[in-house]
Amino acid sequence: EVIAVNQDPLGKQGLRVDKGDDFEVWRRELSGGSIAVVLFNRATGGSDHEFSVSFKTLNVTATAVTARDLFAHKDLGTFKGSLNAQVNPSGVVMVKMTPQH
């Protein structure tokens, strides 16, 4: 699934949309109207980072999306208004978000 994002025919580059001292959020438009989102916890110790990223930050205009964790190969359910996830120190979560119609 991650390789499919890399090889997506739309071919758009990913963009960093948020950055803090110990985290980064990236997004990439995909063919078919979906987007890939990467949540990167840059902290090297301590506890998980709780991400809550608004649809506005991600430039998502849909009111609801379905999300799938691409590394875990697991559907995460429906999100409205923001994407929420916990990420281990030095960890990454990569999610595909698909607008609901």
Side-chain angles (χ1 to χ4, degrees):
E1 292 176 274
V2 173
I3 292 172
V5 169
N6 175 264
Q7 297 177 354
D8 186 79
L10 189 60
K12 290 212 173 179
Q13 180 174 328
L15 302 170
R16 186 171 61 201
V17 294
D18 199 5
K19 181 180 187 287
D21 290 338
D22 62 354
F23 72 91
E24 294 183 20
V25 178
W26 291 73
R27 75 178 297 276
R28 180 182 183 194
E29 291 181 39
L30 303 173
S31 58
S34 295
I35 67 167
V37 177
V38 173
L39 308 172
F40 177 30
N41 183 355
R42 297 177 52 183
T44 57
S47 59
D48 294 353
H49 184 92
E50 179 68 37
F51 282 86
S52 182
V53 185
S54 72
F55 283 10
K56 182 178 178 180
T57 298
L58 295 171
N59 197 27
V60 172
T61 57
T63 56
V65 300
T66 55
R68 180 167 176 82
D69 185 321
L70 301 182
F71 287 127
H73 307 286
K74 178 181 173 186
D75 291 329
L76 301 176
T78 301
F79 291 84
K80 295 180 180 181
S82 65
L83 174 67
N84 304 297
Q86 286 189 324
V87 183
N88 298 332
S90 300
V92 173
V93 170
M94 185 174 185
V95 175
K96 181 177 179 181
M97 297 173 62
T98 304
Q100 288 189 323
H101 299 288

